[in-house]
């Protein structure tokens, strides 16, 4: 029996997690839920899963929610997430809240020796340097939920680091793989050919900033040098990533592109639980692999650039992208300006020593830089 906290329960990964939990009622029990402001959906989830404690991120929404539910402990904001992370009856915390508000809870969870099933890329990318230290000091474990990293995690399991020649992260290529990236309309960007995801990740796939973040994520999760992390475009999205070993063998993980598989594995690891999902190979005409076009998708190079500089650069990249994507959604910048402005922001950054406080400062600085830069342009 695993006792779960689902942080970000109303989002794409959160709702899929709860749909899994429903199917394995005798294995998983929801003890805590957290959402930012979708109080209506959260209320339905509370009725269905009956958690002991609920956190609402947004202060106003939290007050509204407190008046709505009885007999449940309601906590608010980042402090509330920490309360969930230290709750005695929670042993596994699924992180699917966007942004970095979950950092305090992540630290607390690791300190308390819990399993962290992590889907929130920003936390690993921004706080990678700090997490390295936490992993040494605390007894908790981090298990990836991101499909590529779940694949690598499965392929690399129980292998020695010196046996790994390289990690090959696969990328579907996103909605613009065969299209021009100039003057792209928002509607084209939001049509992902393979995966159903949240809006931020869908836009990040179109710019390939998603893969850029995943290179950084892989570096910190598996402690592998950046030059040993490659990207291959694989439009069918069945091979979720591969690991090449020094003897020339490559181990890959294949599955239907369905987030429920990596979510379930992160919760059940080291066990595997049965699902109905399977690949019909007779219906798959072929599996293609090709090198990414780095001129068309300059975001990929940024991963190696920030990893060579380290300090607060990875955090600035993630934060600048988050802000730029929001501005694109509001039609304030063009598609091409997303990556260009992130690049500009990285170049303008004065790096700080990467501790928790400085990383938060760098994130704040980057977001402000992106917002204010626009004022000068128009
Ligand atoms: Mg991914």
């Amino acid at each position: 029996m695993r006792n779960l906290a689902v942080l970000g329960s109303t989002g794409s990964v959160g709702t899929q997690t709860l749909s899994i939990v429903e199917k394995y009622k005798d294995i998983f029990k929801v003890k805590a839920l957290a959402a930012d402001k979708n109080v209506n959906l959260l209320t339905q989830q509370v009725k269905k899963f009956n958690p002991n404690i609920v956190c609402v991120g947004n202060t106003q929404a939290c007050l509204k929610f407190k008046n709505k539910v009885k007999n449940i402990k309601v906590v608010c904001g980042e402090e509330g997430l920490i309360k969930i992370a230290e709750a005695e009856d929670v042993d596994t915390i699924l992180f699917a809240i966007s942004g970095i508000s979950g950092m305090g809870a992540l630290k607390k969870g690791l300190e308390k020796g819990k399993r962290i099933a992590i889907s929130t890329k920003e936390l690993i990318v921004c706080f990678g340097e700090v997490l390295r230290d936490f992993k040494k000091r605390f007894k908790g474990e981090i298990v990836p939920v991101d499909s590529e990293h779940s694949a690598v995690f499965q392929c690399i399991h129980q292998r020695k680091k010196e046996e790994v020649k390289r990690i090959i992260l696969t990328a579907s290529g996103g909605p613009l793989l065969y299209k021009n990236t100039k003057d792209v309309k928002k509607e084209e960007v939001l049509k992902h050919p393979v995966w159903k995801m949240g809006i931020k990740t869908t836009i990040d796939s179109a710019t390939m900033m998603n893969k850029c973040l995943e290179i950084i994520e892989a570096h910190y999760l598996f402690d592998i040098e950046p030059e040993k992390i490659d990207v291959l475009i694989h439009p069918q999205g069945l091979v979720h990533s591969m690991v090449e070993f020094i003897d020339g063998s490559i181990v890959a993980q294949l599955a239907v592109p369905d987030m429920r598989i990596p979510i379930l594995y992160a919760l059940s690891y080291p066990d595997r639980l049965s699902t109905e999902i399977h690949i019909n190979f007779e219906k798959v005409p072929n599996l293609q692999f090709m090198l990414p076009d780095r001129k068309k998708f300059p975001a990929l190079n940024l991963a190696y650039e920030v990893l060579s500089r380290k300090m607060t650069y990875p955090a600035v990249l993630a934060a600048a992208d988050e802000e730029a994507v929001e501005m694109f959604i509001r039609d304030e910048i063009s598609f091409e300006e997303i990556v260009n402005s992130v690049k500009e922001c990285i170049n303008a950054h004065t790096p700080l020593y990467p501790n928790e406080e400085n990383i938060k400062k760098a994130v704040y600085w980057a977001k402000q830089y992106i917002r204010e830069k626009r004022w000068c342009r128009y």
Side-chain angles (χ1 to χ4, degrees), residues 121 146-148 210-211 214:
K121 287 189 177 79
D146 204 346
S147 62
E148 294 79 359
N210 186 49
K211 215 46 59 178
E214 288 180 353

Side-chain angles (χ1 to χ4, degrees), residues 48-115:
K48 201 175 217 172
F49 295 97
N50 198 23
N52 298 334
I53 178 168
V54 175
C55 176
V56 182
N58 180 284
T59 317
Q60 273 181 326
C62 191
L63 292 174
K64 202 173 137 194
F65 188 75
K66 268 186 185 167
N67 293 327
K68 223 173 162 181
V69 296
K70 303 271 175 298
N71 308 323
I72 278 182
K73 190 174 176 189
V74 179
V75 288
C76 307
E78 290 188 37
E79 287 301 311
L81 293 175
I82 297 174
K83 289 222 170 69
I84 287 183
E86 63 189 3
E88 291 295 331
D89 58 353
V90 168
D91 54 51
T92 303
I93 312 169
L94 183 114
F95 278 79
I97 346 167
S98 60
I100 58 163
S101 62
M103 187 52 205
L106 174 58
K107 184 180 180 183
K108 184 58 80 183
L110 286 173
E111 215 178 298
K112 294 269 177 187
K114 301 186 178 185
R115 168 171 306 173

Side-chain angles (χ1 to χ4, degrees), residues 50 70 95 110 127 156 162 185 242 250 301 323 350 373:
N50 198 23
K70 303 271 175 298
F95 278 79
L110 286 173
F127 292 95
I156 219 168
E162 52 281 17
K185 290 197 186 78
M242 311 182 237
I250 293 183
N301 300 329
E323 195 62 39
T350 309
K373 195 72 193 159

Side-chain angles (χ1 to χ4, degrees), residues 24-62:
Y24 302 92
K25 282 194 183 103
D26 46 343
I27 299 173
F28 304 121
K29 172 88 184 88
V30 175
K31 296 285 182 180
L33 290 174
D36 185 35
K37 53 181 181 294
N38 190 348
V39 171
N40 289 338
L41 181 55
L42 185 62
T43 310
Q44 288 171 29
Q45 292 176 340
V46 166
K47 274 187 195 142
K48 201 175 217 172
F49 295 97
N50 198 23
N52 298 334
I53 178 168
V54 175
C55 176
V56 182
N58 180 284
T59 317
Q60 273 181 326
C62 191

Side-chain angles (χ1 to χ4, degrees), residues 104-370:
L106 174 58
K107 184 180 180 183
K108 184 58 80 183
L110 286 173
E111 215 178 298
K112 294 269 177 187
K114 301 186 178 185
R115 168 171 306 173
I116 309 293
I118 195 154
S119 166
T120 311
K121 287 189 177 79
E122 297 94 316
L123 282 178
I124 305 170
V125 172
C126 295
F127 292 95
E129 294 294 317
V130 176
L131 281 177
R132 205 196 291 269
D133 170 55
F134 287 176
K135 276 202 236 168
K136 277 184 217 145
R137 275 166 54 206
F138 304 135
K139 53 185 190 302
E141 60 178 350
I142 298 181
V143 182
V145 168
D146 204 346
S147 62
E148 294 79 359
H149 303 79
S150 173
V152 172
F153 183 76
Q154 294 175 56
C155 298
I156 219 168
H157 192 57
Q158 290 186 331
R159 304 291 358 163
K160 292 187 199 102
K161 206 184 138 191
E162 52 281 17
E163 291 176 346
V164 176
K165 192 171 176 189
R166 61 178 180 142
I167 286 176
I168 304 162
L169 297 176
T170 54
S172 67
L176 304 179
L177 179 60
Y178 302 112
K179 286 183 186 162
N180 204 322
T181 48
K182 279 201 172 50
D183 307 318
V184 192
K185 290 197 186 78
K186 206 157 64 179
E187 303 76 62
E188 296 173 71
V189 174
L190 293 179
K191 273 185 220 142
H192 196 279
V194 181
W195 291 95
K196 272 196 200 114
M197 305 174 292
I199 185 164
K200 160 80 165 50
T201 319
T202 305
I203 294 169
D204 278 345
S205 314
T207 55
M208 287 202 80
M209 193 54 102
N210 186 49
K211 215 46 59 178
C212 163
L213 295 170
E214 288 180 353
I215 294 169
I216 304 169
E217 194 184 349
H219 167 71
Y220 286 118
L221 282 174
F222 306 111
D223 193 24
I224 295 286
E225 298 92 315
E227 56 276 18
K228 288 187 182 172
I229 306 170
D230 282 341
V231 172
L232 265 188
I233 304 280
H234 167 49
Q236 291 78 20
L238 292 176
V239 176
H240 295 297
S241 277
M242 311 182 237
V243 177
E244 184 175 350
F245 294 97
I246 45 173
D247 63 354
S249 285
I250 293 183
V251 179
Q253 186 255 352
L254 282 79
V256 170
D258 185 324
M259 276 312 289
R260 289 174 301 172
I261 296 179
I263 295 170
L264 179 61
Y265 189 67
L267 301 180
S268 70
Y269 163 81
D271 301 329
R272 288 188 187 271
L273 299 175
S274 104
T275 76
E276 305 291 303
I277 311 165
H278 79 284
I279 299 179
N280 277 327
F281 273 108
E282 63 278 14
K283 287 189 182 155
V284 182
N286 55 30
L287 297 181
Q288 290 171 288
F289 298 96
M290 51 200 155
L291 288 172
D293 181 344
R294 284 170 196 261
K295 274 205 185 106
K296 185 174 165 186
F297 298 109
L300 287 176
N301 300 329
L302 292 178
Y304 301 98
E305 198 178 318
V306 298
L307 283 177
S308 73
R309 297 195 203 176
K310 291 275 178 68
M311 305 290 274
T312 37
Y313 282 109
V316 162
L317 175 137
D321 176 59
E322 202 181 322
E323 195 62 39
V325 166
E326 269 175 37
M327 292 181 77
F328 173 71
I329 294 170
R330 294 195 301 262
D331 296 312
E332 290 167 17
I333 59 171
S334 70
F335 179 75
E336 281 196 305
E337 277 180 306
I338 301 174
V339 176
N340 288 341
S341 55
V342 173
K343 203 172 175 179
E344 255 180 62
C345 184
I346 290 167
N347 290 333
H349 182 54
T350 309
L352 302 167
Y353 178 79
N355 58 29
E356 275 179 83
E357 200 193 327
N358 284 343
I359 290 169
K360 282 181 188 161
K361 269 188 205 161
V363 165
Y364 182 81
W365 173 85
K367 291 192 170 201
Q368 206 174 22
Y369 178 90
I370 295 289

